[in-house]
Amino acid sequence: MQIIFLIGRILLGGYFFYSGYNHFAHVGHLAGYTAMKKVPLPKVAVIVSGVLLVLGGAAILVNRYAILGMCLVVLFLIPTTVMMHGFWKEKDPALRSAEQIQFSKNIALIGALLLLISVG
């Protein structure tokens, strides 16, 4: 079971760590997209969310302060899910579907992280 835990930790933590890295590598592009979604202070939002993801992902990845790391990621996911993936606002069926997929994925990730926090 320890190998399964290790693989899961690498996949989950690595996913969030890489996403956070991407926030810093593409601040301008992501800030533009964030502004389009009407998020206040888009560049600040991208940087703060990048910090949450890098710290949270790293904590999960190395299994140090993992519960705190998961909480940081949940703290990122809740507002991001609502503000960035409001599928109910989209008129175009293709965009609505894409946003609904992202929304649902984030809800599943929040659920999985809450489960892990509860058993940690």
Side-chain angles (χ1 to χ4, degrees), residues 18-74:
Y18 180 73
S19 293
Y21 164 79
N22 249 359
H23 277 62
F24 295 112
H26 306 286
V27 171
H29 174 71
L30 291 175
Y33 180 70
T34 303
M36 185 183 78
K37 294 288 188 166
K38 310 267 191 282
V39 174
L41 303 169
K43 188 171 184 178
V44 172
V46 169
I47 292 168
V48 169
S49 62
V51 169
L52 292 172
L53 287 167
V54 165
L55 292 177
I60 296 165
L61 196 56
V62 300
N63 201 27
R64 296 287 179 252
Y65 303 104
I67 299 297
L68 175 61
M70 289 182 237
C71 290
L72 292 174
V73 173
V74 169

Side-chain angles (χ1 to χ4, degrees), residues 11-120:
L11 292 173
L12 188 64
Y15 173 78
F16 290 119
F17 184 84
Y18 180 73
S19 293
Y21 164 79
N22 249 359
H23 277 62
F24 295 112
H26 306 286
V27 171
H29 174 71
L30 291 175
Y33 180 70
T34 303
M36 185 183 78
K37 294 288 188 166
K38 310 267 191 282
V39 174
L41 303 169
K43 188 171 184 178
V44 172
V46 169
I47 292 168
V48 169
S49 62
V51 169
L52 292 172
L53 287 167
V54 165
L55 292 177
I60 296 165
L61 196 56
V62 300
N63 201 27
R64 296 287 179 252
Y65 303 104
I67 299 297
L68 175 61
M70 289 182 237
C71 290
L72 292 174
V73 173
V74 169
L75 187 63
F76 158 78
L77 283 170
I78 291 172
T80 300
T81 301
V82 175
M83 296 173 86
M84 299 297 290
H85 302 299
F87 64 90
W88 54 90
K89 299 175 191 174
E90 295 295 339
K91 303 293 184 233
D92 179 85
L95 289 175
R96 183 181 185 94
S97 178
E99 291 297 351
Q100 191 167 14
I101 289 167
Q102 292 300 317
F103 182 92
S104 298
K105 174 203 49 122
N106 283 3
I107 293 297
L109 286 169
I110 291 167
L113 288 164
L114 292 175
L115 283 170
L116 289 170
I117 290 166
S118 76
V119 296

